[in-house]
Amino acid sequence: CSSDLESFWTESQMLEGNKCPDCGRETKVVKEESYFFRLSKYQDRLMDLFQNTDFVMPESRKNEMIKNFLEPGLEDLSVTRTSFDWGIKVPFDEKHIIYVWVDALCNYITALGYEGDDDTNYKKFWPADVHLVAKEIVRFHTIIWPALLMALDIPVPKRVFGHGWILFADDKMSKSKGNTINPFEMFEKYGADALRWYLLYVSPPWTPLRFDEDGLKEIMSKFIGTLKNTYNFFTLYANTDGLNPNDFFVEYKDRPELDRWILSKFNNLKKEIEENLEIFEVNKSIRRMTEFLNDDLSNWYIRRSRRRFWGTELTEDKKSVYNTTYEVLRDFCKMIAPFSPYLSEEMYRNLTGEYSVHCADYPRCDASLVDLALEEKMDLARDLVTLGRAARENAKIKVRQPIA
């Protein structure tokens, strides 16, 4: 294939009309002298790696590689070129240039100092925890790359994750097609955090993402706007009262049920997010964080705690609501920091006075604060409120209008 990927295909692998199975472009027959890497030698070891480990994620990418390459049988790989003279020359035959993908893949370890004067970083960071790659280069990273490493007796990466494309309508975005969205224009209109959150919210990373600016506007309102409003509400009253929640602390067991409920929900969320991120369920994590912010923190906890902020005296109840809201906002900033780096940084530094949210540990669940029985009771109360509001709407009775 003549694309930037420098891909080579057999006749059986190509699409109808001898089109490239990756990009759909025209292919051409190439004949030149070449050295080969005996890729077929590693067929069984690669099949074992695919079938008995979680080396390739998601499952759909793994199945593609098995069906399209491993099951039909691997063919030996041409690893040098003689039709041009730019690139790294083969030391023992300088008319040959090393295949660009061999050169590129080896950068993962040579950049860390493999076979160099100082291999400290190589020993520290290899094998990599994950290679995150686009779906069209999964083959290079999950078949060619591990085979090369096996030949060198070097550990393979722990995992390779192949993500999907960003689409415009139903077509892949491409400069050559002129259907790209200028990300800098989106940054100017909505901010980098909103765009990042939208891209992770709208679909799982292994499926194609259909870009929709209306969806981005919704995220601005649903997540960014709600987060700012919640933060501004807290800081307004804290500044008005001249209070720093770090100056006092109400023991968790002495806090009202509403405070203990939101802390329980939040710590359950921490546990869920940690489990999801371990298996790259980023989309599910983003959606759960958005739900927590809107449904639990803003629409339920803050709304039912407003009067507690209004009191003129610093009672134990007022201390408790300040402690609880502060703790949730502080750790929520840590939780969203990898995905919303700028807004979380500004809020976290203003809340804590610390150097950076990106230097803080990711929040972990405190199981001692989880109270499932209390959550169940509150869920029942919320369900009853929802049913009551639905009955009012059906009867066309406004929320603040007495029923009788």
Side-chain angles (χ1 to χ4, degrees), residues 8 33 45 50 95 116 118 146 221 229 313 361 380 403:
F8 287 81
E33 181 179 297
R45 288 180 65 182
F50 272 70
K95 75 175 182 178
D118 183 0
S221 170
N229 289 340
E313 295 184 9
D361 290 335
L380 176 60
I403 294 177

Side-chain angles (χ1 to χ4, degrees), residues 71-312:
E71 285 184 348
L74 294 176
E75 298 186 3
D76 294 340
L77 178 71
S78 169
V79 291
T80 67
R81 305 288 179 265
T82 55
S83 55
F84 49 83
D85 60 4
W86 54 268
I88 297 178
K89 297 182 184 297
V90 176
F92 55 84
D93 191 343
E94 293 199 352
K95 75 175 182 178
H96 283 259
I97 301 298
I98 294 175
Y99 176 37
V100 66
W101 268 105
V102 175
D103 175 19
L105 291 166
C106 286
N107 273 292
Y108 285 119
I109 54 175
T110 56
L112 295 174
Y114 173 75
E115 291 293 293
D117 295 332
D118 183 0
D119 63 357
T120 304
N121 284 334
Y122 169 73
K123 291 177 178 177
K124 181 179 180 180
F125 294 112
W126 196 263
D129 290 325
V130 62
H131 285 337
L132 183 63
V133 302
K135 69 174 189 175
E136 69 266 30
I137 57 174
V138 168
R139 175 172 65 104
F140 300 98
H141 285 80
T142 62
I143 293 178
I144 296 174
W145 180 223
L148 291 171
L149 292 170
M150 290 172 182
L152 293 168
D153 198 25
I154 294 174
V156 302
K158 297 175 185 177
R159 194 172 289 164
V160 178
F161 188 98
H163 63 77
W165 291 330
I166 299 178
L167 306 180
F168 182 82
D170 290 323
D171 202 3
K172 177 187 175 184
M173 282 196 189
S174 168
K175 288 185 292 185
S176 61
K177 295 179 180 178
N179 64 350
T180 57
I181 301 293
N182 187 333
F184 295 101
E185 291 180 2
M186 297 297 104
F187 294 159
E188 287 294 323
K189 289 178 71 174
Y190 305 105
D193 282 356
L195 181 58
R196 290 165 66 104
W197 201 268
Y198 164 75
L199 293 174
L200 295 169
Y201 179 91
V202 72
S203 67
W206 51 84
T207 62
L209 187 158
R210 290 171 175 81
F211 184 84
D212 177 14
E213 192 171 345
D214 288 337
L216 180 50
K217 292 175 184 177
E218 182 182 348
I219 288 298
M220 273 296 292
S221 170
K222 193 173 185 178
F223 177 74
I224 301 294
T226 302
L227 181 56
K228 286 182 176 179
N229 289 340
T230 305
Y231 166 80
N232 288 337
F233 174 85
F234 172 77
T235 55
L236 171 65
Y237 283 97
N239 292 334
T240 300
D241 289 334
L243 294 177
N244 181 348
N246 290 313
D247 292 340
F248 47 82
F249 182 76
V250 178
E251 295 294 334
Y252 293 118
K253 63 181 178 60
D254 297 326
R255 299 189 191 186
E257 279 193 337
L258 188 59
D259 295 350
R260 288 186 281 114
W261 168 78
I262 193 66
L263 289 170
S264 180
K265 293 288 284 188
F266 189 41
N267 278 278
N268 261 329
L269 177 69
K270 291 178 184 178
K271 181 175 181 290
E272 187 177 345
I273 297 303
E274 185 175 351
E275 292 171 350
N276 283 337
L277 293 181
E278 281 291 327
I279 55 173
F280 301 94
E281 287 279 8
V282 181
N283 171 255
K284 190 178 291 185
S285 298
I286 292 291
R287 286 178 172 267
R288 282 293 294 115
M289 286 186 270
T290 305
E291 289 170 7
F292 171 81
L293 173 65
N294 282 276
D295 299 340
D296 298 330
L297 182 58
S298 176
N299 288 343
W300 191 257
Y301 178 74
I302 294 295
R303 284 190 179 185
R304 273 140 198 86
S305 297
R306 284 175 178 170
R307 295 180 182 275
R308 302 168 67 195
F309 287 94
W310 296 347
T312 56

Side-chain angles (χ1 to χ4, degrees), residues 346-365:
E346 179 184 357
M347 291 171 51
Y348 183 81
R349 293 181 66 178
N350 290 340
L351 286 168
T352 67
E354 295 178 11
Y355 177 70
S356 174
V357 69
H358 304 295
C359 294
D361 290 335
Y362 203 71
R364 302 274 182 170
C365 171

